[in-house]
Amino acid sequence: MKKHIALIVFASAAVLAGCASIVSKSEYPVSVTSNPTGADFTGKRANGLPIASGVTPATITLAASDGYFKPAKYTVEFRRKGVVQSVPLTAKVDGWYFGNILLGGLIGLLIVDPATGAMWSLNDTVVATFRQTADAAPANRRALQIVDINSLPMKYHGQLLALR
């Protein structure tokens, strides 16, 4: 009798639950980084509403779904020394969602996973890369920096000395 009850419970769980919602998740921790670190960032939904902000490196938690059968779309805007860079982040179909064909059936495929958002997954990292720019040394100390001439502000070009 106990075996029959266990079999009924297992069969019910397989029929009523979606595969991705069992194995996967609907919210993801996303690492927000920049090269070099220390950039300010703001995460925004597709409609432009800010949902998270901070300084890199950081981790934010984002929902993978934006509604029934709709993947979430975000933009992470980075700011560093006056330079702004936007990086898009869009959810993609989670591979476990297709497990419904074998385990979850139509209920998991059409109802459970789309409703819970587990049919979508997000990348675990968003990265912005900034060009290194030269900074003038403070007046109270001297410093040597080796930089590409193209990254040097124009106001310093007249002070360059040729080395032979």
Side-chain angles (χ1 to χ4, degrees), residues 35-37 80-81 129-134 147-148 150-152:
N35 185 13
T37 60
R80 185 173 187 280
K81 294 186 178 182
T129 302
F130 293 92
R131 283 182 58 173
Q132 286 288 88
T133 57
V147 295
D148 179 3
N150 296 321
S151 67
L152 189 66

Side-chain angles (χ1 to χ4, degrees), residues 2-24:
K2 288 183 180 181
K3 288 183 181 180
H4 290 6
I5 292 173
L7 184 60
I8 290 170
V9 169
F10 177 75
S12 299
V15 170
L16 295 176
C19 195
S21 58
I22 294 171
V23 180
S24 194

Side-chain angles (χ1 to χ4, degrees), residues 50-74:
I51 54 168
S53 62
V55 178
T56 63
T59 300
I60 58 176
T61 302
L62 299 174
S65 175
D66 203 16
Y68 191 70
F69 274 106
K70 289 176 67 180
K73 296 179 182 178
Y74 301 97

Side-chain angles (χ1 to χ4, degrees), residues 66-143:
D66 203 16
Y68 191 70
F69 274 106
K70 289 176 67 180
K73 296 179 182 178
Y74 301 97
T75 300
V76 180
E77 189 174 274
F78 295 86
R79 293 180 189 278
R80 185 173 187 280
K81 294 186 178 182
V83 177
V84 178
Q85 194 176 125
S86 293
V87 178
L89 177 64
T90 302
K92 308 231 182 317
V93 175
D94 190 318
W96 287 107
Y97 175 67
F98 298 107
N100 285 306
I101 296 169
L102 299 174
L103 299 175
L106 287 177
I107 293 174
L109 199 64
L110 300 176
I111 297 172
V112 177
D113 287 350
T116 62
M119 74 176 289
W120 306 108
S121 67
L122 287 169
N123 288 341
D124 60 356
T125 304
V126 178
V127 180
T129 302
F130 293 92
R131 283 182 58 173
Q132 286 288 88
T133 57
D135 289 331
N140 60 352
R141 69 177 177 91
R142 297 180 64 106

